[in-house]
Amino acid sequence: MPAPISDSFPERVLQAYASRPDDERESVLYLDQRTVDVKLDALARLMPPGATFYYAVKTNPNRQLLAHLATAGCGMDIASRAELDKAMGAGTAPEKISYGNTLKHPRDIAPAHRAGVTLFSADSENELTKIAANAPGARIWLRTAVQSDGAVFTLTQKYGASPDAVPDLAAHARKLGLDVHGLSFHVGS
């Protein structure tokens, strides 16, 4: 066997993968936790002290990554019951989970709430009504449309209430017994 290219872990993994016959090669996912930590630290320095980050589970639901992020204090943003199970299975406390799916079904809201999830996002009266009926007293982020100048794909028309509608949505949420926790926006915007 030839000498290693380098002693670094990524290069050892790459060398081991490349030395396999083609029919024995499988997909490989390499996650460098040090890089995750460096990026998370850089983001934290840009935000006010005490800010909580919510990682979108759908971007990469790898259990080791989710567990690492949970240990680092990150919250998780979920869009389904399966993602709820993955986030909690990785050690995320339910109070650090945000249910951010743009259209939530009542059959998914209630189990999340029973599991301890109290933070949901909404951008319409209909979503607020579903949340109030299935997660009484929940905290709400009102999803707001934002400018997306320069975006390759404009999602502003698809996700988020008009900024002008936010005060009325906040009043409706309070009337339903929900706690308006703050604002959010669809990251794709």
Side-chain angles (χ1 to χ4, degrees):
M1 181 168 193
I5 299 169
S6 166
D7 287 334
S8 77
F9 181 73
E11 290 174 348
R12 288 194 318 263
V13 170
L14 180 59
Q15 184 178 11
Y17 178 77
S19 68
R20 292 181 179 175
D22 286 345
D23 62 341
E24 292 180 17
R25 290 185 187 173
E26 297 177 11
S27 298
V28 173
L29 173 63
Y30 172 71
L31 293 170
D32 184 348
Q33 292 178 346
R34 288 173 300 178
T35 300
V36 171
D37 292 339
V38 166
K39 299 294 185 182
L40 189 56
D41 184 58
L43 183 59
R45 285 194 310 271
L46 296 172
M47 302 302 288
T52 300
F53 301 103
Y54 289 83
Y55 176 78
V57 172
K58 68 182 164 188
T59 60
N60 184 344
N62 176 275
R63 190 182 192 302
Q64 288 83 9
L65 175 61
L66 297 180
H68 184 75
L69 290 169
T71 300
C74 283
M76 300 288 162
D77 184 70
I78 62 166
S80 68
R81 281 195 285 184
E83 289 181 8
L84 171 65
D85 294 342
K86 287 179 183 189
M88 291 184 72
T92 306
E95 61 272 8
K96 292 199 87 172
I97 295 175
S98 166
Y99 201 136
N101 194 342
T102 54
L103 295 172
K104 290 169 276 312
H105 195 284
R107 71 174 176 257
D108 295 326
I109 298 169
H113 191 251
R114 282 192 303 273
V117 175
T118 61
L119 183 57
F120 296 81
S121 63
D123 58 12
S124 70
E125 286 188 3
N126 183 46
E127 283 295 297
L128 290 169
T129 300
K130 287 190 290 185
I131 293 167
N134 294 280
R139 297 176 299 148
I140 298 295
W141 278 341
L142 296 173
R143 186 180 302 104
T144 308
V146 295
Q147 291 293 325
S148 58
D149 300 340
V152 175
F153 298 102
T154 303
L155 298 175
T156 303
Q157 293 83 17
K158 190 172 179 180
Y159 302 115
S162 154
D164 295 338
V166 169
D168 290 337
L169 287 174
H172 186 67
R174 287 187 195 98
K175 185 174 126 186
L176 294 171
L178 300 171
D179 175 20
V180 178
H181 187 66
L183 300 175
S184 71
F185 64 92
H186 189 277
V187 71
S189 301

